[in-house]
Amino acid sequence: MTRISVSVPATTANLGPGYDSFGMALELRNEFSAQLADDWSVAIEGQGADVLLHDGGNMVARGMAAVFEAAGQPELRAEIHCLNRVPLGSGLGSSSSALVGGATLARMLLREVLDSKWRISDQDLFGLLAQLEGHPDNVAPALFGGFTICWTDADAPDVPRCEHFQLVSPMAAVIVTSNRELSTAYARTLLPEVVPHADAGFNAAHAGLLAGALVSGRLEMLHVAVADKLHEPYRAAAIGDYDQVSAILREAGADAVAISGSGPTVIAFVTGFTPNSAFIKAEGIAEKTADALDALGTRNAPQAVGFAVRGFMPM
Ligand code: HSE
């Protein structure tokens, strides 16, 4: 029986002012493989091996099942293997990575193993998975890579849409995960139903500036562009150490710092003349900040990562 493999990146959503719309893919990849079988089974190595479901309720299986169903073959099942590198419940898109992994594996199995004539485009897959996951801003970069913007049209508020862009100037990141979890569902309860018009205007300006900086390569604007008033001020209190972590990273030379997704991971953006020099600078910042972050007692070792040009990749 043919076995198919795919890698799917971690993602960071919001990027400061792009609440529920901006996302980027990170070169920290989960690897999934599967072959058709009589029933669902999921073997897991790495992150979440002892807490994630090993049956059809697993997110990878759910992503596969959604595609099998869309293809009119809901009876199909698979035996799945996961090598998980993206930490769970940390604001790095682990569930989107799993769903995208399952969905793209199912699409490849249908094509290559079953020789099915059924086709689904990446955009339609995005729509299917964004509705299943509930967070389009993580699904989009896991599928498309690069920098993604999600939105809905005024006359179709339930239909998620997205566009993706590539970064034109080199950047890398330092991610600092926490030893505490913060669920997205809880982190969303911290946000007020209504925000002042002035704050909405502030975010419109900064989100525009950030998108402009990323797609034009004028990364000297990053440090002002990442400012946010829609979610970070409300979540910082629950995260507890955000201001300290941010100060430590900036002091060490990070260009800009934001909460990754709904947190508690903190992400620092680092620029350079080449992708290599940006990554080496990020590694230097990770090394320089390790002791100060460790002393907080709430943070895991900082990790340098590149931004991913590609989303899911068949292996
Ligand atoms: N944008 C979401 C939030 C998290 O901030 O709640 C990631 O999808």
Side-chain angles (χ1 to χ4, degrees):
M1 187 63 90
T2 312
R3 195 162 187 93
I4 303 237
S5 305
V6 69
S7 76
V8 188
T11 55
T12 185
N14 299 330
L15 315 179
Y19 176 70
D20 272 1
S21 58
F22 288 2
M24 284 174 91
L26 301 171
E27 269 312 337
L28 173 68
R29 286 176 180 269
N30 287 336
E31 293 177 10
F32 307 109
S33 67
Q35 64 187 41
L36 293 173
D38 291 337
D39 203 357
W40 294 114
S41 65
V42 186
I44 304 169
E45 274 180 76
Q47 300 284 338
D50 43 0
V51 294
L52 291 169
L53 296 173
H54 294 262
D55 56 19
N58 180 282
M59 291 296 260
V60 182
R62 289 178 58 197
M64 291 191 89
V67 168
F68 289 151
E69 193 168 329
Q73 307 216 39
E75 71 291 349
L76 292 177
R77 303 282 183 269
E79 178 259 297
I80 299 167
H81 182 270
C82 309
L83 173 56
N84 287 346
R85 300 197 179 93
V86 183
L88 268 47
S90 61
L92 290 168
S94 61
S95 55
S96 289
S97 172
L99 271 182
V100 168
T104 52
L105 282 173
R107 184 170 63 174
M108 289 191 283
L109 283 169
L110 285 163
R111 263 188 213 162
E112 292 170 33
V113 180
L114 300 174
D115 202 20
S116 160
K117 298 286 172 273
W118 181 81
R119 293 285 182 265
I120 185 168
S121 67
D122 286 353
Q123 273 293 344
D124 288 342
L125 204 53
F126 163 74
L128 183 74
L129 298 181
Q131 289 194 330
L132 195 62
E133 215 269 348
H135 296 295
D137 50 347
N138 276 321
V139 172
L143 268 172
F144 298 106
F147 166 51
T148 52
I149 303 180
C150 295
W151 75 96
T152 55
D153 291 322
D155 57 357
D158 298 327
V159 182
R161 303 194 55 197
C162 80
E163 265 310 331
H164 65 287
F165 303 88
Q166 289 304 340
L167 300 178
V168 297
S169 291
M171 271 173 69
V174 181
I175 51 175
V176 187
T177 57
S178 173
N179 54 26
R180 299 167 188 178
E181 283 195 13
L182 180 67
S183 79
T184 298
Y186 174 69
R188 293 179 83 82
T189 68
L190 302 170
L191 308 183
E193 280 288 312
V194 175
V195 295
H197 232 106
D199 290 356
F202 177 96
N203 266 62
H206 285 79
L209 197 57
L210 179 58
L214 292 174
V215 302
S216 71
R218 292 175 58 191
L219 299 183
E220 73 279 5
M221 293 189 288
L222 272 187
H223 74 287
V224 288
V226 296
D228 165 72
K229 289 196 179 189
L230 290 189
H231 73 108
E232 291 193 350
Y234 305 103
R235 288 169 166 171
I239 292 174
D241 59 2
Y242 177 58
D243 290 340
Q244 291 149 286
V245 174
S246 174
I248 290 168
L249 291 164
R250 282 171 198 272
E251 173 77 10
D255 293 80
V257 178
I259 296 174
S260 183
S262 59
T265 295
V266 177
I267 184 161
F269 300 92
V270 179
T271 62
F273 291 112
T274 64
N276 265 356
S277 71
F279 186 76
I280 289 166
K281 190 169 151 196
E283 281 187 317
I285 291 172
E287 204 173 308
K288 214 189 300 182
T289 55
D291 288 346
L293 292 167
D294 188 48
L296 296 175
T298 48
R299 291 284 159 176
N300 302 315
Q303 187 181 350
V305 293
F307 285 102
V309 171
R310 291 189 62 185
F312 78 96
M313 288 199 289
M315 293 168 64

